[in-house]
Amino acid sequence: MNEIPKAYNPSEVEDKWYKYWLEQNIFHSEIDNSKEPYTIVIPPPNVTGILTLGHVLNNTIQDIYIRTKRMQGYNACWVPGTDHASIATESKVVRYLKEQGIDKYEIGREKFLDACWEWTNKYGGIIIQQLKKLGVSCDWERERFTLDEDYYRKVIETFVQLYKEGKIYRGEKIVNWDPASRSAISDEEVNYRESNGKLWYIKYPVKDSKEFIEVATTRPETMLGDTGIAVNPKDERYKNLIGKFAILPLVDREIPIFSDWHVESEFGTGAVKVTPAHDPNDYVMGVEHNLEMINIFNEDASTNHNVPEEFQGLDRYVVREKAISRLKEQGYLVKEENYTNKVGYSERGGVPIEPYLSEQWFLKMEEISKPALDVVRNGEVNFHPDHWKKTYDHWMTNIKDWCISRQLWWGHRIPVWYCDDCRKEPIVSVDAPTKCPNCNSKNLRQDEDVLDTWTSSWLWAYDVFKTEEEKQYYYPTDLLVTAPDIIFFWVARMIIAGMHFRKEIPFKDVYFTSVLRDMQGRKMSKTLGNSPDPIEVINKYGADALRFTIIYSAPLGQDVLFSEDKCEFGRNFANKIWNAGRFLLMNAQTIKIDKSLADKHLDFADNWINSRFNKTLRDLINALDTFDINGSTKIIYSFIWNDFCDWYIELSKSRLYADNEEIKSAVLTRSIMMFENLLKIAHPFMPFLTEELWQAIEERKPGESISTSKYPEVNESLINEAAEKEMDFVQDIINGIRNIRGEANIPPSKALDVFIKIENLSEYQIEYIKKLAKLNSISFSSIIQQPKQSASSVVKGIEIYVSLEGIIDLDLERKRLTKEIERLEGSLAGIRKKLSNENFVKNAAKEVVEKERQKETDWVSNINKLKDILNNLN
RNA sequence: GGGGGCUUAGCUCAGUUGGUUUAGAGCAUCUGCCUUACAAGCAGAGGGUCGGAGGUUCGACUCCUUCAGCCCCCACCA
């Protein structure tokens, strides 16, 4: 290695090492009973999705744990895969076909599914390739897809099992209907958005009277399906009307006026038009009061034949306009007001949902969710940050039955068959029945619907493993890392499934990642175009830089504001490590590496860095254990940059440039060994750079990798307070001199002469101070007098004089000293105030008081010395 | 209407169970440097009465109450 580029170039090394890791099969895990498993299952991205910064954050965190545990000797297994994402994928394919002039319903189920598979095969590999660019160490041999044949079967088996347990039923209910994909969706798939609408006041004539009853509505078009009017039982205004009938304008239907506690007298007019087929609340009232349920919409939310002819076949919003203008013409519209309310949108379809009465399959949740609630409450499953526990608890205790059928084709088809001949009980079976068990008819028809995507992903934590042996070994998994927005969709349901089907928790810890926002705090989204493409960022800054930056800026439980140029931070850090390596390796070309000298010629700098490293390692492991992953990056950063680069390497230079070959070898060998340690602890965060440097340090055996090297262990005996104290002292002296130099703008090329009033300084201390403070000479003795034309500093009671003959600005120096004296006097005043407070002396801990007393004497001494210096300045 | 989170330097954020002088880092700013690892760098400096008010305490960025602002989640006000 003769020429090492000055700057780290990630694009030259990343692909090379990823390929190497795959070739060496480093990420693959097999059952090994001699090792403890450490398992993570990936939150499977949508099969045709592309990588977002959210994925980057979440997969980097998983990779950090997997890589750390792998190096620590665990059998680390990270199972990757993708989700067929029923509705998301299907709507993409529908849109694509539409652009080609092809209609889903015209080509039919089979051809449509062919198109979906084609689409999946075309785009399905993209996100996987992108994840590899990020450097994640998934076991790709275990890659799974929720529509894999055997996985598909598991989903079906689960349905059948639940059906047999009596947990699944079919029923007609109001569901959230997505008119764009013409399917039911679950409550969780509806997003509510503020919308500026109107509140229309409409009067309905009361039958056999001249009176009117006035109602208010945000959705006048639904009046075509009105079958009642409700008022609060206590509302005096309407008491006389209860039991009478109103005549529905435009339709001419007689509808009953009744009372119901759901109605709030204060809102609107206090009278509510009731449309049981198109409003969940009205539905409840409809059932209680035996109202007619008139469905006025087709599946695409256009009006059907249940409305008067002039309104038929129109889009719901067209009907709204038309209804209003008719009402106006006929004098029924009283007034309209601006009104802000929340409108539910389909998460995938992006259009307002329509509450819609239809026949669907439901899963009873109450009973099966109980054990899942317990394990979170009692801490078998831990959330990080743990305040999500509350959210979880609230949802779980108010859980509703889950609508699991979707009027879609891309997914797991519901394993239910109906006999067209006897029309008895539906046949529920994993394998297709050949004949009806009741009448032997072969006229069987399978349910057209598929299952909600999440009925496949809730099995993910264990059914990604194919055999029972593997499930026994790898399950429960250790950690789940996911975005908090799928806590109900996925996390809760996985815990439910784990507890119900395997009687075991699916994972011990759940880490909820930050939500990524742009620098204005807006959520990153495709439509805003404010989300940088991670691959472009990787190409520009490097995968390691992106990984480190995003983790460094993502504190647990808080949103993170991110922009591409923040990655300069990570890039600079990578470059810093690169150059530290470059320095060591360049020296290794001329200085012999000799591991037998590793413990020879130790001085306090060596003891200090060992001490710092072991403390750092201890802190780092603790941070990872407590899921303070953001903190862990800070620990690594400051050790590498400040301790190792700024001080240790700089200190080692004076010994590396001396002429004792053995000392040179000892120092360089040690430095490189320390560097290797630091590469190891940084590796899970920045895998590519660290592998590149680790491989460059020495000739490695074929197949060796830092990924499988042994993670350092804390050696408490190397934690050395004396060495840290000594280092502290030397650093203070150097900083004092540097401050004088900086303040006086003396260029580093001008070597200074320094006098220190101290009895003794070791040879190393002298060398280090000279080197780092750029001194020409250093004189010390306990009787040194303040030289003329010198600047001064008092460090830990020790006077330091920097001779500045001919260049000193006495005014400036006086100012500097005065400022320092004022600073100390300020602090002293604070301490004295404390100490003169009897209660403090009486109540505070003895050590604290003692510390303050010590400070007082120290500061008084420093101040006096500085005052003398100031007085004698000439 | 409930629940949760946030508010510390111009910007983005640290600050562990309340007690090392005058609260830290990175970026940005200013000054001096191409010092043979790194200008993506080195050295130095300036910059914050920790959102407001009150309280607990010998002592509060840290604990409590309250107010204000911002953000999320949940909930059947048509």
Side-chain angles (χ1 to χ4, degrees):
Chain A
M1 195 165 192
N2 285 321
E3 287 213 1
I4 309 168
K6 268 181 114 167
Y8 172 55
N9 186 349
S11 56
E12 276 177 19
V13 310
E14 291 181 354
D15 291 349
K16 172 182 76 182
W17 289 119
Y18 205 83
K19 205 171 144 236
Y20 177 79
W21 293 329
L22 293 181
E23 281 165 8
Q24 300 307 326
N25 216 16
I26 278 165
F27 306 154
H28 182 58
S29 164
E30 287 287 340
I31 293 177
D32 175 353
N33 287 312
S34 69
K35 277 178 158 183
E36 200 180 323
Y38 184 88
T39 315
I40 298 179
V41 292
I42 205 169
N46 291 359
V47 64
T48 64
I50 54 161
L51 196 72
T52 65
L53 283 168
H55 294 121
V56 169
L57 174 61
N58 154 13
N59 286 287
T60 300
I61 293 169
Q62 295 173 69
D63 201 31
I64 287 167
Y65 280 94
I66 279 286
R67 283 181 182 272
T68 303
K69 295 292 175 179
R70 184 182 293 123
M71 290 171 76
Q72 286 176 336
Y74 289 84
N75 186 356
C77 181
W78 184 7
V79 184
T82 48
D83 188 333
H84 68 290
S86 177
I87 191 168
T89 307
E90 177 152 338
S91 29
K92 273 187 208 167
V93 175
V94 167
R95 211 173 310 137
Y96 166 77
L97 290 176
K98 207 172 204 172
E99 283 163 18
Q100 318 290 306
I102 300 168
D103 180 79
K104 169 188 163 185
Y105 299 99
E106 267 171 34
I107 60 170
R109 184 173 202 125
E110 226 161 286
K111 281 195 176 150
F112 179 75
L113 284 177
D114 288 345
C116 289
W117 276 109
E118 211 176 292
W119 182 272
T120 298
N121 293 332
K122 189 167 168 194
Y123 298 105
I126 293 178
I127 196 159
I128 298 298
Q129 287 316 312
Q130 291 179 315
L131 280 169
K132 290 177 178 173
K133 290 283 282 180
L134 225 207
V136 297
S137 63
C138 298
D139 184 352
W140 296 109
E141 284 179 39
R142 293 183 177 275
E143 187 181 336
R144 299 292 260 147
F145 179 42
T146 50
L147 287 178
D148 283 347
E149 212 179 310
D150 53 339
Y151 196 95
Y152 190 113
R153 197 178 167 84
K154 290 289 177 195
V155 175
I156 299 305
E157 285 172 0
T158 305
F159 180 96
V160 173
Q161 183 187 336
L162 287 167
Y163 183 83
K164 288 188 175 147
E165 289 174 13
K167 298 280 190 293
I168 287 180
Y169 64 95
R170 187 166 161 83
E172 190 176 52
K173 282 202 202 178
I174 286 256
V175 295
N176 305 296
W177 188 266
D178 176 354
S181 43
R182 301 192 204 173
S183 171
I185 57 178
S186 68
D187 295 343
E188 288 68 40
E189 285 167 301
V190 180
N191 292 329
Y192 290 88
R193 290 189 219 154
E194 289 260 302
S195 128
N196 294 319
K198 291 227 162 34
L199 189 60
W200 285 274
Y201 291 77
I202 307 165
K203 56 181 185 181
Y204 291 7
V206 177
K207 193 189 167 192
D208 300 332
S209 115
K210 297 229 155 108
E211 276 184 272
F212 290 91
I213 182 164
E214 196 178 318
V215 299
T217 180
T218 54
R219 303 197 52 206
E221 68 279 12
T222 61
M223 71 175 288
L224 301 175
D226 281 2
T227 54
I229 291 179
V231 298
N232 189 287
K234 289 183 183 156
D235 197 329
E236 294 298 329
R237 293 172 294 178
Y238 299 112
K239 271 223 159 117
N240 61 325
L241 293 178
I242 294 170
K244 294 189 173 176
F245 287 83
I247 307 293
L248 183 61
L250 309 182
V251 182
D252 251 356
R253 181 163 48 231
E254 283 186 20
I255 55 175
I257 300 167
F258 61 93
S259 70
D260 190 289
W261 63 269
H262 285 271
V263 181
E264 280 185 42
S265 308
E266 291 73 34
F267 187 87
T269 62
V272 184
K273 62 186 265 322
V274 181
T275 322
H278 296 291
D279 183 282
N281 214 9
D282 293 5
Y283 175 77
V284 174
M285 292 197 271
V287 170
E288 275 173 32
H289 299 273
N290 253 323
L291 300 181
E292 202 183 341
M293 312 239 172
I294 301 177
N295 185 344
I296 61 164
F297 290 125
N298 296 310
E299 291 181 347
D300 61 356
S302 65
T303 36
N304 62 19
H305 58 273
N306 288 333
V307 301
E309 209 172 333
E310 69 161 323
F311 294 104
Q312 286 180 15
L314 301 172
D315 179 79
R316 50 186 164 163
Y317 297 109
V318 176
V319 176
R320 176 178 298 179
E321 294 309 315
K322 194 157 185 173
I324 290 165
S325 69
R326 284 283 178 279
L327 287 167
K328 222 181 256 175
E329 286 165 23
Q330 297 177 18
Y332 292 118
L333 186 71
V334 180
K335 61 174 174 177
E336 56 179 60
E337 281 175 356
N338 286 330
Y339 185 70
T340 311
N341 68 339
K342 294 203 169 161
V343 176
Y345 282 75
S346 152
E347 190 173 56
R348 288 299 161 190
V351 298
I353 57 114
E354 192 61 48
Y356 193 71
L357 193 60
S358 67
E359 185 111 321
Q360 303 289 345
W361 289 97
F362 295 90
L363 176 55
K364 293 183 194 164
M365 295 302 278
E366 202 182 331
E367 200 180 317
I368 65 169
S369 64
K370 283 207 170 91
L373 178 55
D374 291 341
V375 292
V376 171
R377 279 186 176 165
N378 70 20
E380 278 179 70
V381 175
N382 288 293
F383 288 174
H384 310 277
D386 70 348
H387 66 76
W388 287 108
K389 233 172 142 165
K390 264 199 164 170
T391 310
Y392 177 86
D393 206 295
H394 183 256
W395 189 75
M396 291 290 275
T397 48
N398 293 286
I399 199 158
K400 307 228 173 69
D401 287 354
W402 177 9
C403 174
I404 53 172
S405 48
R406 296 289 179 274
Q407 287 62 54
L408 302 168
W409 292 341
W410 177 242
H412 307 80
R413 190 163 176 182
I414 292 178
V416 174
W417 284 261
Y418 307 96
C419 174
D420 279 340
D421 289 337
C422 69
R423 298 173 184 277
K424 280 267 170 72
E425 290 287 289
I427 308 151
V428 178
S429 146
V430 174
D431 296 301
T434 48
K435 54 178 186 175
C436 173
N438 185 49
C439 70
N440 287 333
S441 158
K442 293 197 172 172
N443 278 335
L444 301 180
R445 204 168 27 84
Q446 187 174 1
D447 196 303
E448 293 293 325
D449 294 348
V450 299
L451 291 165
D452 179 11
T453 272
W454 301 98
T455 64
S456 64
S457 22
W458 75 332
L459 311 177
W460 190 251
Y462 51 88
D463 274 332
V464 292
F465 299 105
K466 297 186 184 179
T467 65
E468 186 53 33
E469 291 72 37
E470 286 196 327
K471 287 175 195 175
Q472 290 287 341
Y473 180 74
Y474 290 112
Y475 187 88
T477 68
D478 289 273
L479 174 64
L480 180 78
V481 180
T482 187
D485 56 349
I486 54 174
I487 183 168
F488 307 134
F489 278 120
W490 196 45
V491 180
R493 287 169 183 162
M494 263 202 286
I495 302 175
I496 295 172
M499 292 310 294
H500 187 72
F501 298 111
R502 292 201 67 83
K503 313 292 174 219
E504 250 185 313
I505 55 168
F507 27 69
K508 299 169 189 123
D509 291 290
V510 183
Y511 185 102
F512 290 105
T513 56
S514 310
V515 174
L516 283 153
R517 298 175 179 278
D518 68 11
M519 295 310 278
Q520 281 97 57
R522 298 174 306 179
K523 214 167 173 171
M524 287 198 176
S525 76
K526 259 185 230 158
T527 42
L528 276 174
N530 59 350
S531 178
D533 175 3
I535 298 304
E536 278 175 31
V537 180
I538 288 173
N539 290 336
K540 192 165 170 193
Y541 295 97
D544 291 331
L546 173 59
R547 289 169 61 120
F548 197 82
T549 304
I550 205 163
I551 298 294
Y552 188 89
S553 25
L556 180 61
Q558 244 146 276
D559 294 354
V560 45
L561 307 193
F562 189 87
S563 73
E564 184 180 319
D565 52 12
K566 272 197 166 182
C567 289
E568 281 182 20
F569 172 80
R571 181 201 57 183
N572 293 357
F573 185 46
N575 195 236
K576 188 74 182 175
I577 299 174
W578 174 261
N579 274 291
R582 182 164 171 261
F583 170 79
L584 297 171
L585 294 172
M586 278 166 59
N587 278 295
Q589 290 175 7
T590 53
I591 300 170
K592 206 175 128 207
I593 302 297
D594 182 350
K595 287 194 178 161
S596 70
L597 294 173
D599 293 325
K600 301 277 159 60
H601 307 286
L602 291 167
D603 73 14
F604 72 91
D606 300 307
N607 295 333
W608 170 79
I609 195 73
N610 278 328
S611 185
R612 284 294 310 135
F613 175 73
N614 281 286
K615 277 190 183 171
T616 298
L617 184 58
R618 193 174 61 187
D619 293 348
L620 173 62
I621 289 169
N622 182 256
L624 290 174
D625 283 349
T626 56
F627 297 96
D628 179 13
I629 183 154
N630 176 246
S632 70
T633 57
K634 285 163 202 210
I635 292 165
I636 290 177
Y637 183 89
S638 79
F639 176 75
I640 293 181
W641 200 304
N642 304 121
D643 293 335
F644 188 75
C645 293
D646 287 350
W647 289 101
Y648 189 68
I649 286 191
E650 291 307 319
L651 293 177
S652 72
K653 282 178 181 173
S654 56
R655 289 182 290 170
L656 248 23
Y657 299 153
D659 21 82
N660 183 321
E661 287 305 320
E662 196 176 296
I663 291 180
K664 287 161 79 167
S665 282
V667 170
L668 187 65
T669 302
R670 260 201 300 281
S671 303
I672 288 181
M673 287 168 74
M674 179 53 71
F675 187 63
E676 187 165 346
N677 275 335
L678 120 203
L679 289 177
K680 285 180 180 179
I681 63 172
H683 178 254
F685 298 80
M686 310 177 93
F688 295 110
L689 165 76
T690 48
E691 180 80 86
E692 173 78 6
L693 288 166
W694 188 82
Q695 296 282 350
I697 285 175
E698 62 185 69
E699 190 75 22
R700 305 290 176 182
K701 293 191 203 89
E704 261 193 312
S705 162
I706 189 173
S707 305
T708 48
S709 69
K710 195 170 172 303
Y711 200 80
E713 281 171 18
V714 178
N715 183 344
E716 295 280 347
S717 71
L718 289 177
I719 293 175
N720 184 332
E721 297 302 336
E724 295 208 26
K725 227 171 169 179
E726 186 170 0
M727 187 62 186
D728 207 37
F729 172 66
V730 169
Q731 287 181 342
D732 278 352
I733 293 177
I734 292 166
N735 289 338
I737 300 168
R738 280 176 173 175
N739 175 272
I740 290 168
R741 184 193 285 279
E743 294 271 277
N745 278 342
I746 301 163
S749 51
K750 167 103 178 112
L752 300 169
D753 295 302
V754 163
F755 304 84
I756 302 178
K757 189 164 184 175
I758 192 171
E759 202 162 327
N760 202 11
L761 275 179
S762 75
E763 202 181 314
Y764 280 134
Q765 289 175 330
I766 294 168
E767 268 313 301
Y768 291 156
I769 295 167
K770 270 177 80 171
K771 180 83 187 168
L772 270 73
K774 313 237 181 263
L775 305 183
N776 175 50
S777 74
I778 185 163
S779 319
F780 66 92
S781 99
S782 54
I783 51 162
I784 268 176
Q785 297 292 307
Q786 179 175 357
K788 282 194 171 169
Q789 302 213 330
S790 63
S792 320
S793 180
V794 176
V795 170
K796 293 197 160 68
I798 291 163
E799 291 140 77
I800 299 168
Y801 303 104
V802 179
S803 168
L804 295 178
E805 249 187 283
I807 53 173
I808 192 166
D809 178 336
L810 287 175
D811 283 343
L812 205 109
E813 177 61 9
R814 271 187 205 103
K815 241 186 234 163
R816 212 179 59 83
L817 289 170
T818 310
K819 198 177 85 185
E820 175 67 2
I821 290 167
E822 277 168 5
R823 190 180 71 89
L824 286 172
E825 279 177 336
S827 325
L828 184 64
I831 290 169
R832 285 195 163 146
K833 196 177 149 204
K834 254 191 200 176
L835 286 169
S836 62
N837 181 338
E838 275 177 40
N839 287 321
F840 171 72
V841 182
K842 204 165 63 192
N843 296 324
K846 271 224 164 69
E847 313 88 74
V848 176
V849 179
E850 204 35 59
K851 240 187 221 165
E852 296 298 310
R853 289 229 163 89
Q854 186 58 47
K855 274 189 232 160
E856 187 191 16
T857 24
D858 289 351
W859 302 149
V860 167
S861 144
N862 273 17
I863 289 167
N864 289 338
K865 280 173 183 161
L866 284 165
K867 280 183 174 165
D868 286 346
I869 289 168
L870 183 60
N871 287 334
N872 296 332
L873 193 63
N874 57 49

